[in-house]
């Protein structure tokens, strides 16, 4: 049973990491879109994610389904505790989809500018909402004996959760800027390249501040690494990946810089999983007894076995589909009359 719980938790983390990598650059592109002035250039920016953005968002839905099926008590507590942030997140997802689809339906400048602003704003909101939820899961939220949230909305927006929100924005902004220079060419490519280094610097600054604050005020995140030093390899790979991003950008190897950015996201989420394990929802008022873990909040063994069977079939299909889509739409963006 312990193995099943661990395996299903690992699958959930993989799904979250897949969403962060794939929809992360979509959100970064959305935030960068507002910095491009010409209509044709904004169309190129939008069409860089046009064929893939909706498929990327499915990873979040799949992760939510995996959490609901495998750890229903955790799902219930998260949805009730973060009801307002989740509603804000869903509102952002809805408006982003509408902005992408409606933006080029009419030729008027005011029409397109309105949807461009909504596209950028919704991307910012989604990234920030995801970050604040993650920050609260690291910090912990007040729970009662039944695992129910007993805090207030104000208690969710602490300086630390806002800091993690800023880190998420910085990470996705950098990720999206690298993706765009990889997908564009000529004058637009040069314009967008000017945003990459500032994005990298901004991310590194927020990353350094967040790491320092986490180690000082939330030492439980480093306990697993202290107990099992081999986990430090993850942190080392993370630092090397971050250091490699500006190196690859300097040498014009945008694809390798993007891969390094993906590795950075994987390492950050892996460190989160290692630091919080086995607690998924940490009870800040009594972490030892009231926290929801993968062991005290999982579904039955039979359910987890069935879910694992479905995942063994479904995961390769999802990964194969994703690889196929990105293979078909690889290369620089070209727009025509059928484009967004």
């Amino acid at each position: 049973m312990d193995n099943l719980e661990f395996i299903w938790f690992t699958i959930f983390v993989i799904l979250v990491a897949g969403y962060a990598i794939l929809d992360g650059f979509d959100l970064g592109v959305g935030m960068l879109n507002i910095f491009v002035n010409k209509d044709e250039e904004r169309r190129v920016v939008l069409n860089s994610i046009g064929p893939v953005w909706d498929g990327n968002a499915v990873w979040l839905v799949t992760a939510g389904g995996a959490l609901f099926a495998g750890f229903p008590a955790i799902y219930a507590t998260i949805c009730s505790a973060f009801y307002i942030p989740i509603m804000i997140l869903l509102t952002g997802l809805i408006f982003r989809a509408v902005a992408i689809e409606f933006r080029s339906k009419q030729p008027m400048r005011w029409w397109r500018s309105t949807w461009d602003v909504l596209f950028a704003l919704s991307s910012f909101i989604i990234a920030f909402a995801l970050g604040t939820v993650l920050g609260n899961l690291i910090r912990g939220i007040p729970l009662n004996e039944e695992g129910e949230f007993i805090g207030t909305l104000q208690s969710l927006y602490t300086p630390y959760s806002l800091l993690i929100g800023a880190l998420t924005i910085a990470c996705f902004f950098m990720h999206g800027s690298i993706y765009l220079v990889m997908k564009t060419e000529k004058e637009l490519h040069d314009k967008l390249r000017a945003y990459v280094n500032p994005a990298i610097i901004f991310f590194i600054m927020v990353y350094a501040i967040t790491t320092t604050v986490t180690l000082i005020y939330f030492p439980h995140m480093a306990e697993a690494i202290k107990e099992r030093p081999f986990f430090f390899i993850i942190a080392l790979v993370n630092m090397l990946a971050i250091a490699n991003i500006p190196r690859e950008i300097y040498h014009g190897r945008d694809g390798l810089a993007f891969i390094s950015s993906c590795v950075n996201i994987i390492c950050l989420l892996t460190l989160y999983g290692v630091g919080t394990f086995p607690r998924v929802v940490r009870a800040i008022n009594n972490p030892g007894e009231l926290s929801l873990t993968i062991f005290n909040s999982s579904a039955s063994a039979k359910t987890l076995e069935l879910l694992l069977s479905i995942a063994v079939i479904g995961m390769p299909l999802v990964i194969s589909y994703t690889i196929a889509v990105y293979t078909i739409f690889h290369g620089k963006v070209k727009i025509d009359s059928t484009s967004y």
Side-chain angles (χ1 to χ4, degrees), residues 204-221:
I204 291 175
M205 290 174 60
V206 181
Y207 173 81
I209 295 170
T210 304
T211 301
T212 303
V213 171
T214 302
L215 293 176
I216 293 173
Y217 294 102
F218 305 101
H220 66 274
M221 292 297 292

Side-chain angles (χ1 to χ4, degrees), residues 67-84:
L67 185 65
F68 169 74
F71 306 101
I74 292 173
Y75 179 88
T77 297
I78 288 178
C79 286
S80 60
F82 301 107
Y83 182 82
I84 299 299

Side-chain angles (χ1 to χ4, degrees), residues 27 33 100 108 119 130 141 198 211 221 269 293 302 319 330:
L27 298 174
N33 180 65
I100 291 173
M108 295 85 75
F119 181 33
L130 290 169
I141 58 176
T211 301
M221 292 297 292
L269 287 172
T293 71
K302 202 68 179 176
I319 293 171
H330 77 285

Side-chain angles (χ1 to χ4, degrees), residues 8-315:
W8 196 245
F9 176 71
T10 302
I11 291 172
F12 170 71
V13 172
I14 290 172
L15 290 171
V16 173
Y19 171 75
I21 290 171
L22 297 176
D23 206 34
F25 69 73
D26 291 341
L27 298 174
V29 168
M31 288 184 274
L32 265 167
N33 180 65
I34 203 69
F35 294 100
V36 180
N37 296 321
K38 296 180 181 178
D39 180 71
E40 185 175 351
E41 291 178 342
R42 287 188 174 181
R43 288 189 66 202
V44 172
V45 168
L46 182 57
N47 280 276
S48 69
I49 63 170
V52 298
W53 70 269
D54 47 355
N56 294 342
V58 170
W59 284 73
L60 180 62
V61 178
T62 308
L67 185 65
F68 169 74
F71 306 101
I74 292 173
Y75 179 88
T77 297
I78 288 178
C79 286
S80 60
F82 301 107
Y83 182 82
I84 299 299
I86 289 174
M87 288 299 104
I88 294 172
L89 169 65
L90 292 176
T91 301
L93 288 168
I94 292 169
F95 272 98
R96 182 184 64 162
V98 173
I100 291 173
E101 294 295 338
F102 278 31
R103 193 258 177 200
S104 297
K105 295 297 184 184
Q106 298 291 337
M108 295 85 75
R109 182 178 177 84
W110 67 266
W111 172 274
R112 296 189 171 188
S113 296
T114 300
W115 293 116
D116 287 336
V117 170
L118 285 174
F119 181 33
L121 183 62
S122 60
S123 299
F124 174 87
I125 289 171
I126 295 167
F128 184 72
L130 290 169
T132 53
V133 171
L134 189 64
N136 277 288
L137 293 178
I138 294 172
R139 176 179 175 270
I141 58 176
L143 301 176
N144 63 16
E145 289 76 9
E146 285 74 38
E148 297 174 346
F149 177 64
I150 54 174
T152 63
L153 178 62
Q154 290 78 10
S155 67
L156 298 178
Y157 292 98
T158 62
Y160 185 74
S161 67
L162 298 178
L163 179 61
I164 299 297
L167 177 66
T168 307
I169 291 171
C171 182
F172 289 166
F173 190 84
M174 177 186 71
H175 197 47
S177 67
I178 297 170
Y179 177 80
L180 275 178
V181 297
M182 187 176 66
K183 296 291 289 182
T184 55
E185 57 187 351
K186 299 178 181 177
E187 183 183 353
L188 178 58
H189 173 88
D190 296 336
K191 283 183 181 179
L192 293 170
R193 182 171 285 276
Y195 290 103
V196 175
N197 285 332
I200 294 172
I201 293 170
F202 177 55
F203 169 73
I204 291 175
M205 290 174 60
V206 181
Y207 173 81
I209 295 170
T210 304
T211 301
T212 303
V213 171
T214 302
L215 293 176
I216 293 173
Y217 294 102
F218 305 101
H220 66 274
M221 292 297 292
E223 287 177 4
I225 296 178
K226 290 178 182 178
E227 295 172 0
R228 301 174 180 84
F230 60 85
F231 281 135
F232 186 75
I233 295 174
I234 303 170
L236 182 61
V237 172
N238 188 200
M239 289 183 283
L240 291 175
I242 294 171
N244 191 52
I245 293 173
R247 176 176 177 271
E248 300 298 349
I249 290 293
Y250 176 78
H251 290 288
R253 298 190 287 257
D254 303 328
L256 292 177
F258 184 73
I259 292 173
S260 295
S261 183
C262 293
V263 172
N264 167 52
I265 293 174
I266 292 171
C267 288
L268 287 174
L269 287 172
T270 304
L271 288 170
Y272 161 76
V274 169
T276 58
F277 183 85
R279 302 184 184 102
V280 181
V281 182
R282 182 174 184 266
I284 194 171
N285 48 325
N286 191 346
E289 297 182 9
L290 300 181
S291 296
L292 300 181
T293 71
I294 66 170
F295 303 117
N296 66 18
S297 304
S298 67
S300 66
K302 202 68 179 176
T303 300
L304 293 178
E305 288 177 3
L306 178 62
L307 291 172
L308 186 58
S309 301
I310 296 172
V312 168
I313 298 171
M315 286 289 287

